[in-house]
Amino acid sequence: MVRTFWRLLRQSFRRSLKLLLIASHNHIDAMVQHPEVLWAQRSSDSDEEKNILFVTVNLPDIVESSLKFNLTPTALSFEAKTAHDKEYSFDLQFYDQVEPDKSTKRLNSRSLNLIIRKKNKASEYWPRLTKDKAKNAFIKTDFSKWVDEDEQADVVDDVPDDMDMGGMGDMGGMGGMGGMGGMGGMGGMGGMDFEKMMAQMGGAGGGGMPDFGGANAGPSGAAEEDDSDDDGPPPLEDAEPPK
């Protein structure tokens, strides 16, 4: 009788402890949320700079001091708080290996943007971002960057203009826009004689417009005769009063 009582008591205790752990785990999951992760990719078997992943953690107002970001050859982990004091985190294992040293990141007020270099050059796309085949609800295709595998050659520029690519320096010695040097010898507005213009303005009776060879000058510069037929439509005749 006593043994039965203690056995039932232990079973009850274990059941209560299990329910408590499940409730605690659910509470933690409710407090820490997964941010939306968008991704797209490019592939190349010859050019490693075109063998990349675009990964965007779509989370506005990340507090930079709270950001814990770790990229390894096989995984990515993220943890951060927003300005609204909400916590977000995720961990994922990549489908294949990547090169952290050749990858870049950029944080702005809307998101954390990553360009991650794939390690193995191949013309085929990865079938998915993660090693696990299970679908993750917070990982979605970035249709703003996605290009079909057979249409990659038509893509001109995949890298955003404000992405810090690291080591780009001063854009390869642009040298003052290729030595424009006074806009390629414009020659004083096409060779116009400003001294003559000013003299003409001075003789126009106190600030009038220069003559520029006559307002009615023809191709040779000589004034053309007025043609009375071009003075406009003829005046309307007086309408006869109704009878």
Side-chain angles (χ1 to χ4, degrees):
M1 181 93 178
V2 174
R3 290 181 180 177
T4 303
F5 171 78
W6 283 110
R7 186 174 68 252
L8 293 174
L9 184 62
R10 285 196 299 269
Q11 290 176 352
S12 178
F13 175 76
R14 289 172 182 170
R15 190 178 299 109
S16 298
L17 181 60
K18 185 177 181 180
L19 292 173
L20 181 62
L21 290 173
I22 293 174
S24 176
H25 181 72
N26 291 337
H27 179 66
I28 292 172
D29 283 347
M31 292 177 60
V32 180
Q33 304 177 52
H34 291 304
E36 182 181 57
V37 176
L38 306 176
W39 82 290
Q41 63 178 317
R42 302 289 182 269
S43 62
S44 174
D45 56 4
S46 58
D47 188 349
E48 63 178 11
E49 293 186 356
K50 294 182 179 180
N51 202 43
I52 55 177
L53 302 168
F54 295 103
V55 178
T56 301
V57 182
N58 193 24
L59 183 63
D61 303 323
I62 294 175
V63 178
E64 188 171 0
S65 60
S66 72
L67 177 60
K68 296 178 182 178
F69 169 85
N70 187 32
L71 177 63
T72 71
T74 59
L76 170 63
S77 64
F78 169 91
E79 183 179 339
K81 287 184 178 181
T82 66
H84 305 290
D85 205 31
K86 291 185 178 180
E87 296 183 9
Y88 294 83
S89 68
F90 70 87
D91 295 274
L92 61 84
Q93 298 286 323
F94 290 117
Y95 173 79
D96 201 354
Q97 291 192 346
V98 301
E99 295 185 285
D101 294 341
K102 297 181 179 180
S103 303
T104 61
K105 71 178 187 297
R106 174 175 55 88
L107 177 65
N108 58 33
S109 61
R110 301 182 302 277
S111 58
L112 175 65
N113 301 276
L114 312 173
I115 297 181
I116 302 173
R117 185 78 60 83
K118 300 176 185 176
K119 183 176 181 178
N120 300 316
K121 294 191 289 292
S123 58
E124 296 81 15
Y125 272 1
W126 286 7
R128 57 189 177 274
L129 177 63
T130 60
K131 186 175 183 179
D132 190 359
K133 290 184 178 181
K135 182 176 177 61
N136 293 294
F138 68 94
I139 300 177
K140 302 177 182 179
T141 302
D142 188 347
F143 290 105
S144 68
K145 294 184 177 70
W146 190 269
V147 175
D148 289 339
E149 187 177 312
D150 58 353
E151 296 179 352
Q152 297 183 79
D154 299 330
V155 178
V156 177
D157 184 14
D158 289 326
V159 181
D161 294 338
D162 56 348
M163 194 64 154
D164 180 12
M165 292 303 295
M168 291 183 71
D170 55 357
M171 302 299 289
M174 290 176 70
M177 298 302 289
M180 290 175 70
M183 300 301 289
M186 289 178 67
M189 298 298 290
M192 293 176 63
D193 191 338
F194 281 97
E195 292 185 2
K196 183 177 180 181
M197 184 189 302
M198 295 302 294
Q200 290 174 334
M201 291 178 67
M209 291 296 292
D211 184 49
F212 290 111
N216 295 319
S220 63
E224 297 179 352
E225 295 181 359
D226 288 339
D227 190 343
S228 59
D229 292 338
D230 294 335
D231 289 341
L236 295 174
E237 297 180 357
D238 293 336
E240 294 182 4
K243 295 181 180 179

